[in-house]
Amino acid sequence: MTKKIESHLTEDRVIKPTKEFSKSARISSLAQYKKIYKESIQSPSKFWSKEAKELHWQKKWSKVLQWTPPFAKWFVGGKINASENCLDRHLNGPRKNKAAIIWEGEPGETRTITYAQLHREVCKFANALKNQGIKKRDRVIIYMPMVPEAAIAMLACARIGAVHSVVFGGFSATSILDRVEDSGASAIITADGGWRRGKVVPLKANVDEALKKSKLVKKVIVLERCKNEVKMKRGRDIWWHKAMENASTDCPPAQLDSEHPLYILYTSGSTGKPKGILHTTGGYLTGTYSTTKYIFDIRDDDIYWCTADVGWVTGHSYIVYGPLLNGATCLMYEGAPNFPDFARFWDIIERHGVTIFYTAPTAIRAFIKAGDHLPEAHDLSSLRLLGSVGEPINPEAWMWYHEKIGGGKCPIVDTWWQTETGAIMISPLPGATPTKPGTATLPFFGIDAAILDETGKECKANEGGRLVIRKPWPSMLRTIYGDKRRFKKTYWDDYEGIYTAGDGARRDSDGNFWIVGRLDDVLNVSGHRLGTAEVESALVSHPSIAEAAVVGRPDEIKGQGVVAFVTVKEGIKHGAKLVTTLRNHVSKEIGPIAKPDDIRFANALPKTRSGKIMRRLLKEICAGGEVSGDTTTLEDFQVIASLQKSN
Ligand code: 7RM
């Protein structure tokens, strides 16, 4: 019996960058990419030090890399400050009075903050933090809505060398408490509330609830955003505007070691408590700076919009650090994509003239479901580049995104990376890489990505295996905070000195990487190992289907049977007839082995707050058991109840 992951779905459509885009792009042909890539893999230190030199170093490094697997130190001996690089570096030229952040609140108000203004606010807030007794290396939890102050808080921490840990504003009191305890945080920066679908999310009340059970936190700074009623605890809580009142605007950036911790960001494992992914300064800045520059090919006149929340790594690397390091103008939106309706994003793009738009497949599928008339009613012609992140983008969604949003002219960068990798690892370069819908294509410069079988041998073309990175890279996680053993065990146990990402993938004959799903989710049907992504993609390629999640369930004969949970598009009737149609459709697209044994219609699928389907929960439902393990990252618990009922 083979242990390889099989792959049956093929995609022949090739979309090349337009001449117009390539002409002015930093990397303008596949040949140019290949040449630089080859050199960068032969000598990663040379490539990365060239990139790092474009940043401002208070003191230059003496050694590019010190690698004692699995522990890396980048730019050893160098001194650098993240906030200085995001802000001060732009103040001596034409970017000084350029918009750094264009913000839109959910109720509709807007603010524009220039680099000079952002610098001033960050310096003031950094002094406010110091006045509250916060020092270098202290851990500070940031639990904020999507407002500019979230970025200001992050950059202010970085300015004084405090370590931020952003907790997504949709998380509960329990999640805050877990993260406070694990990180040993001594302060929390929050707001009275934040707007989401027309309602106030009671952030401060959640913090109060969490802190009933912990004595670690000495200071809570509260931004007034929604003017909802909150309780302030004397001696512990202070309003943001009060803390700012007497704070000076003069705050020289702290001199920090290149390996000084920049942030901890918690990511859920499939089992056990969330992992505190630790990123440090010099390498992380180099990785996010370089990837933003080449992959988004960002320009001074771009209006760049990444729709993620700052609570996710995508928000850290591609709303705050990457774009600001590049002196870009970033749009930031506070609220939900469907408030007041599913046209909100198209409306924002039109009104602000967004040129680069970076979002997630889960959002794209929701937009498809909501109907084409919504984007069609808006002028989206300002767009020149689109991006996707978070999950495999199924070819149907890719084509829709390309045609309906990109007007057929915008390249799409399907970017594969993780909280752990800090920056994008595999992605097209928009002026250079021919793409096929559904593949993240080729590794970024300096990234030695490969697919290995369980013996450590590289897989042949179209053979599925484990996605790994064979050489260290600057923005890699340094450890799991406080748990080196778990760090080693989770990422470095499969192969000596090689990082295992936990994703299954294959490369096609052009070398493109196709992610077939998380390794924990791989199906095993009569000895055939199938990735979930391909079966899901086949289902969604049927015109009636909006979304699909596929899992295995124990089967006496086949080992595992295939169960598909699907949601249908607006106005589609479902029943026995559609079940037969879909089973035949999958059989035709992939082959009879992938034919679902069972298809269940659902109103919604269980997802994490960032839109990833939680297949583990579906597996548990299929096995007939109760849903167990960590469910704190589940977006909506109702979904589980309704799936269990229809079971
Ligand atoms: C950035 C982010 C990481 C996991 C990763 C994959 C999946 C992310 C893509 C993707 C296929 C993509 N960080 N993933 N991007 N799969 N194509 N372009 O999402 O830590 O939250 O998740 O997400 O499984 O391992 S994350």
Side-chain angles (χ1 to χ4, degrees), residues 106-163:
E106 195 184 73
E109 69 274 53
T110 62
R111 282 162 71 189
T112 299
I113 302 172
T114 66
Y115 272 92
Q117 289 169 330
L118 189 60
H119 172 259
R120 196 184 150 83
E121 292 300 304
V122 167
C123 287
K124 272 185 85 169
F125 195 63
N127 280 325
L129 290 175
K130 285 194 214 162
N131 295 342
Q132 296 304 314
I134 295 158
K135 300 182 305 296
K136 185 167 156 178
R137 287 191 178 273
D138 285 352
R139 275 79 62 212
V140 176
I141 300 264
I142 299 177
Y143 181 66
M144 299 271 275
M146 281 287 287
V147 291
E149 284 77 4
I152 292 169
M154 290 163 78
L155 292 165
C157 286
R159 196 159 189 94
I160 64 172
V163 184

Side-chain angles (χ1 to χ4, degrees), residues 251-267:
C251 182
Q255 299 245 343
L256 301 173
D257 199 89
S258 174
E259 281 299 329
H260 187 81
L262 178 63
Y263 68 81
I264 302 166
L265 184 59
Y266 286 86
T267 180

Side-chain angles (χ1 to χ4, degrees), residues 19-315:
K19 279 213 181 67
E20 204 201 327
F21 196 100
S22 297
K23 213 171 53 199
S24 56
R26 287 187 176 84
I27 307 295
S28 57
S29 72
L30 188 61
Q32 192 190 0
Y33 157 79
K34 283 190 170 160
K35 182 171 173 283
I36 302 175
Y37 181 73
K38 196 169 158 208
E39 291 164 4
S40 75
I41 293 299
Q42 276 161 0
S43 178
S45 294
K46 201 169 146 202
F47 173 77
W48 290 119
S49 57
K50 186 176 147 280
E51 293 302 303
K53 273 181 199 150
E54 292 179 18
L55 299 176
H56 174 77
W57 292 79
Q58 297 158 330
K59 180 173 167 245
K60 215 197 143 195
W61 59 88
S62 52
K63 196 171 174 203
V64 180
L65 170 67
Q66 186 183 311
W67 179 224
T68 322
F71 300 102
K73 287 186 177 162
W74 282 88
F75 308 111
V76 185
K79 298 238 183 256
I80 187 166
N81 185 292
S83 118
E84 184 178 26
N85 273 279
C86 289
L87 304 169
D88 310 47
R89 205 158 56 88
H90 307 306
L91 298 185
N92 294 322
R95 283 178 185 153
K96 181 177 178 184
N97 296 324
K98 164 187 175 169
I101 298 177
I102 299 174
W103 174 79
E104 179 162 316
E106 195 184 73
E109 69 274 53
T110 62
R111 282 162 71 189
T112 299
I113 302 172
T114 66
Y115 272 92
Q117 289 169 330
L118 189 60
H119 172 259
R120 196 184 150 83
E121 292 300 304
V122 167
C123 287
K124 272 185 85 169
F125 195 63
N127 280 325
L129 290 175
K130 285 194 214 162
N131 295 342
Q132 296 304 314
I134 295 158
K135 300 182 305 296
K136 185 167 156 178
R137 287 191 178 273
D138 285 352
R139 275 79 62 212
V140 176
I141 300 264
I142 299 177
Y143 181 66
M144 299 271 275
M146 281 287 287
V147 291
E149 284 77 4
I152 292 169
M154 290 163 78
L155 292 165
C157 286
R159 196 159 189 94
I160 64 172
V163 184
H164 61 71
S165 184
V166 183
V167 176
F168 173 54
F171 279 158
S172 63
T174 323
S175 308
I176 303 170
L177 178 64
D178 287 349
R179 286 151 178 77
V180 164
E181 295 281 313
D182 190 82
S183 67
S186 57
I188 299 186
I189 304 166
T190 188
D192 49 1
W195 289 104
R196 185 90 188 163
R197 281 191 197 104
K199 294 205 183 83
V200 174
V201 181
L203 298 170
K204 174 61 165 64
N206 291 344
V207 169
D208 292 341
E209 179 68 30
L211 293 189
K212 277 185 193 159
K213 299 208 183 85
S214 175
K215 297 222 157 16
L216 286 169
V217 172
K218 302 287 179 263
K219 285 288 164 196
V220 178
I221 304 178
V222 188
L223 177 78
E224 186 173 68
R225 161 68 187 128
C226 298
K227 297 199 160 65
N228 50 311
E229 213 182 296
V230 296
K231 288 200 193 90
M232 298 292 276
K233 185 168 169 176
R234 195 184 292 261
R236 185 194 71 182
D237 302 352
I238 178 169
W239 287 104
W240 176 293
H241 54 270
K242 289 280 178 214
M244 287 285 253
E245 255 169 21
N246 303 313
S248 145
T249 54
D250 180 27
C251 182
Q255 299 245 343
L256 301 173
D257 199 89
S258 174
E259 281 299 329
H260 187 81
L262 178 63
Y263 68 81
I264 302 166
L265 184 59
Y266 286 86
T267 180
S268 57
S270 48
T271 51
K273 62 171 189 164
K275 307 183 283 255
I277 304 300
L278 180 77
H279 284 290
T280 58
T281 311
Y284 176 79
L285 296 180
T286 304
T288 52
Y289 167 71
S290 177
T291 48
T292 305
K293 181 178 64 172
Y294 289 114
I295 295 167
F296 297 108
D297 202 35
I298 213 151
R299 304 288 163 174
D300 266 314
D301 57 358
D302 272 315
I303 308 255
Y304 163 91
W305 184 20
C306 166
T307 69
D309 191 283
V310 287
W312 311 121
V313 73
T314 308

Side-chain angles (χ1 to χ4, degrees), residues 503-521:
D503 281 357
R506 70 181 165 92
R507 298 186 83 164
D508 65 20
S509 49
D510 296 323
N512 294 313
F513 285 79
W514 296 76
I515 311 299
V516 302
R518 297 290 299 166
L519 286 167
D520 310 337
D521 296 331

